Amino acid sequence: MASVALSEAEKVYIVHGVQEDLRVDGRGCEDYRCVQVETDVVSNTSGSARVRLGHTDILVGVKAEMGTPKLEKPNEGYLEFFVDCSASATPEFEGRGGDDLGTEIANTLYRIFNNKSSIDLKSLCISPREHCWALYVDVLLLECGGNLFDAISIAVKAALFNTRIPRVRVLEDEEGLKDIELSDDPYDCIQLSVENVPCIVTLCKIGYRHVVDATLQEEACSLASLLVSVTSKGVVTCVRKVGKGSLDPESIFEMLETGKRVGKVLHTSLQSILHKEESLGPKRQKVGFLG
Amino acid sequence: MAGLELLSDQGYRVDGRRAGELRKIQARMGVFAQADGSAYIEQGNTKALAVVYGPHEIRGSRARALPDRALVNCQYSSATFSTGERKRRPHGDRKSCEMGLQLRQTFEAAILTQLHPRSQIDIYVQVLQADGGTYAACVNAATLAVLDAGIPMRDFVCACSAGFVDGTALADLSHVEEAAGGPQLALALLPASGQIALLEMDARLHEDHLEQVLEAAARAARDAHTVLDRVVRQHVQEASVLLGD
């Protein structure tokens, strides 16, 4: 991951500040940086979103394609995740340098969506065992400013909210041959319900306390972090410890409670922003990277 | 695409432009704070991002360092969702490698590499949405990014694509026009001197028509230069206002 070189004095300064609930930029331990979310940034996709969290910049594009259902789940569609760590984040990601981090993030995304309630996969089925919608969620990491997992999960949720899948009908004629018919109206689409899509909250252990939304400098001071995947109702879908240090079982429980609390607030704000943006309608001014 | 008229009798193209008309160009410099230089450009529906790191010490083997000039390293990557059909690999395939080499050739001609011996300049270009003219958009974005990084260049490098249909040269091809299969010319120009940094053409074109197509591409590249020049001046003005001048 992109890292920053910190001297011992700077590390001590950050650690001491965190013990007093005061971080370098003035935030408290449970405060997020300013998050900017915009959907419908790329037009070649079924849905897209761009998230800026401090210096972290993520672009997610969702493409819906027709596929065959998996053998063990014949009545459901499926999601495929792919994460591309672009060299624009840091020159170390050039060529295949970003593949390790990309695979790690993609595997985490598979894990947090690996339950029955996150996305209603049955609504993606067109005809059982034959046709279904496959949603390819492609994440592009453009700039790395700490707290990648949170930003990526917010962007994935926003992009899935923005996804519009064309409505199709299966017509069966006398010989039993099936034909798939696309609706004539290009705006006749189905929208996915993202009520239960989880978001990741990363808690970094610094000294005796833990912080939410760590910057690159704070991540350099932290030896261990806990990734908690939380839905809007406070249900935890996945917990993962990352980092080379070790965590006390007591602190894991504390971090889980913080993660649930912070996650619920994050979800309410995100939902309200997404609905507000959608209510502006198709005439809203799209800013993208130009603003 | 049989039956699709690329140039109508009244002289209008598929998207309503005239033969020599460019698509709308909007650009912004300094998109990312952590990179040395960055820029974003929208040329019609084609969107490209360029990020520059450098000049810095050579990464990897020191043996690659050149004793009298800087090494220019380019990577071209297009997002998996950039094209109509989903791409499986963003970079590493043959076309991306070739584009990277072409970008490197283009910028080695323009950057004053003698000023930074034994160093490396990295130019990373990312295509977010591809609607024809990706090479041209990448070169234009990379020029702005190199300027944003403060790396001295001989001149702007402005690029444009051109094609040939029904005896008329078309400038700045969109994806529909590229997919129709006619001859396509990509041209990178240093506008002040009129020197060509890169010229590439595939498909067959009679040599009598070459001059006309080349002229159309050069004129379009100069038009692009006018827009990019304005973007740079505005960016410098905004920066100097912030500095309190």
Side-chain angles (χ1 to χ4, degrees):
Chain A
M1 194 167 323
S3 55
V4 63
L6 278 189
S7 67
E8 280 307 312
E10 284 172 302
K11 284 187 189 167
V12 165
Y13 180 73
I14 291 176
V15 171
H16 283 185
V18 167
Q19 310 310 303
E20 312 282 330
D21 194 21
L22 193 61
R23 292 155 80 172
V24 173
D25 45 11
R27 287 184 285 154
C29 286
E30 296 187 8
D31 294 335
Y32 267 89
R33 286 169 286 183
C34 179
V35 186
Q36 293 169 12
V37 179
E38 194 184 348
T39 58
D40 207 17
V41 187
V42 178
S43 56
N44 261 340
T45 55
S46 311
S48 60
R50 180 188 175 215
V51 167
R52 290 208 68 129
L53 177 61
H55 281 311
T56 303
D57 207 318
I58 312 280
L59 182 61
V60 173
V62 178
K63 270 179 143 18
E65 288 184 10
M66 211 67 104
T68 357
K70 303 233 159 95
L71 286 171
E72 61 268 13
K73 300 205 169 113
N75 292 332
E76 294 178 354
Y78 55 93
L79 265 76
E80 294 276 342
F81 294 99
F82 175 72
V83 177
D84 178 23
C85 296
S86 159
S88 51
T90 162
E92 287 151 19
F93 289 160
E94 191 187 340
R96 303 203 83 108
D99 282 359
D100 285 341
L101 179 62
T103 329
E104 188 193 343
I105 299 176
N107 287 340
T108 312
L109 287 171
Y110 275 116
R111 296 256 293 273
I112 69 173
F113 277 88
N114 188 21
N115 57 68
K116 294 185 190 45
S117 56
S118 297
I119 278 269
D120 184 15
L121 294 172
K122 290 197 169 42
S123 64
L124 295 177
C125 180
I126 301 170
S127 62
R129 281 184 301 278
E130 282 166 22
H131 298 110
C132 71
W133 286 111
L135 292 182
Y136 290 96
V137 181
D138 297 312
V139 179
L140 181 58
L141 172 62
L142 290 168
E143 203 186 2
C144 185
N147 204 18
L148 290 177
F149 287 94
D150 294 31
I152 289 176
S153 64
I154 295 174
V156 167
K157 180 165 181 172
L160 286 171
F161 178 81
N162 183 240
T163 304
R164 301 284 181 268
I165 303 173
R167 216 182 281 274
V168 290
R169 283 187 311 151
V170 183
L171 302 166
E172 199 166 326
D173 57 7
E174 306 87 42
E175 287 125 40
L177 291 170
K178 290 192 179 154
D179 193 26
I180 297 188
E181 189 190 283
L182 204 63
S183 165
D184 284 334
D185 179 8
Y187 293 106
D188 186 17
C189 302
I190 50 174
Q191 216 176 326
L192 292 171
S193 160
V194 293
E195 292 293 319
N196 290 324
V197 169
C199 272
I200 300 178
V201 177
T202 309
L203 301 127
C204 290
K205 188 119 171 74
I206 299 180
Y208 293 110
R209 297 190 67 151
H210 49 269
V211 297
V212 166
D213 190 21
T215 58
L216 273 182
Q217 288 81 0
E218 286 164 348
E219 281 180 357
C221 300
S222 137
L223 283 175
S225 312
L226 198 70
L227 293 178
V228 181
S229 155
V230 170
T231 64
S232 54
K233 297 187 181 63
V235 175
V236 172
T237 67
C238 170
V239 175
R240 209 176 130 217
K241 180 218 158 266
V242 291
K244 47 189 189 294
S246 47
L247 284 176
D248 205 75
E250 290 289 319
S251 45
I252 290 185
F253 284 114
E254 276 174 25
M255 286 154 104
L256 261 180
E257 289 306 311
T258 315
K260 282 199 283 192
R261 202 179 343 128
V262 171
K264 280 203 263 192
V265 174
L266 178 66
H267 275 288
T268 14
S269 332
L270 183 60
Q271 300 269 37
S272 69
I273 280 292
L274 288 176
H275 283 117
K276 201 160 76 158
E277 198 194 28
E278 201 193 358
S279 69
L280 292 173
K283 295 277 184 289
R284 73 174 161 97
Q285 201 192 10
K286 291 188 188 160
V287 173
F289 289 88
L290 289 168
Chain B
M1 293 256 186
L4 184 68
E5 219 179 19
L6 288 180
L7 194 65
S8 75
D9 297 327
Q10 290 83 29
Y12 290 109
R13 290 153 76 172
V14 179
D15 49 8
R17 286 184 282 156
R18 287 272 176 200
E21 210 180 308
L22 275 183
R23 290 176 288 182
K24 181 177 177 186
I25 298 181
Q26 287 175 291
R28 184 158 163 253
M29 292 167 68
V31 181
F32 298 134
Q34 287 187 324
D36 291 330
S38 55
Y40 170 75
I41 198 167
E42 272 185 30
Q43 213 164 316
N45 278 331
T46 301
K47 297 179 179 162
L49 261 176
V51 174
V52 170
Y53 285 95
H56 56 72
E57 208 180 327
I58 301 251
R59 278 180 306 112
S61 63
R62 298 284 162 83
R64 288 193 306 143
L66 298 164
D68 56 341
R69 51 197 167 91
L71 195 71
V72 177
N73 173 40
C74 296
Q75 181 180 270
Y76 170 91
S77 168
S78 60
T80 44
F81 46 75
S82 59
T83 48
E85 286 282 315
R86 183 177 175 260
K87 268 188 75 170
R88 306 200 70 220
R89 294 187 63 195
H91 51 261
D93 55 320
R94 245 167 12 115
K95 181 172 170 271
S96 305
C97 289
E98 193 195 344
M99 281 285 235
L101 289 172
Q102 285 180 350
L103 284 169
R104 179 185 178 176
Q105 182 193 334
T106 313
F107 282 94
E108 271 179 347
I111 295 178
L112 295 170
T113 46
Q114 295 86 352
L115 295 177
H116 303 284
R118 287 182 295 280
S119 355
Q120 181 176 344
I121 297 172
D122 294 315
I123 303 177
Y124 300 125
V125 179
Q126 182 87 31
V127 173
L128 302 177
Q129 202 172 297
D131 185 26
T134 46
Y135 170 76
C138 290
V139 167
N140 293 336
T143 299
L144 291 179
V146 170
L147 288 173
D148 190 42
I151 297 174
M153 288 210 287
R154 257 176 212 101
D155 192 1
F156 275 75
V157 187
C158 300
C160 197
S161 56
F164 192 75
V165 163
D166 287 344
T168 330
L170 303 179
D172 196 10
L173 305 172
S174 65
H175 177 70
V176 167
E177 291 160 344
E178 280 182 0
Q184 293 168 41
L185 183 110
L187 178 78
L189 190 73
L190 281 73
S193 49
Q195 303 277 336
I196 294 177
L198 184 125
L199 174 66
E200 204 223 3
M201 195 196 77
D202 23 26
R204 283 180 351 171
L205 179 72
H206 197 285
E207 61 178 281
D208 291 347
H209 304 310
L210 180 62
E211 193 175 333
Q212 187 187 0
V213 177
L214 205 56
E215 186 49 48
R219 207 173 325 121
R222 288 204 175 83
D223 291 341
H225 167 65
T226 322
V227 179
L228 296 182
D229 188 76
R230 199 166 3 134
V231 168
V232 174
R233 282 177 203 276
Q234 195 181 357
H235 178 76
V236 171
Q237 197 176 29
E238 282 171 9
S240 64
V241 160
L242 287 171
L243 286 170
D245 247 341

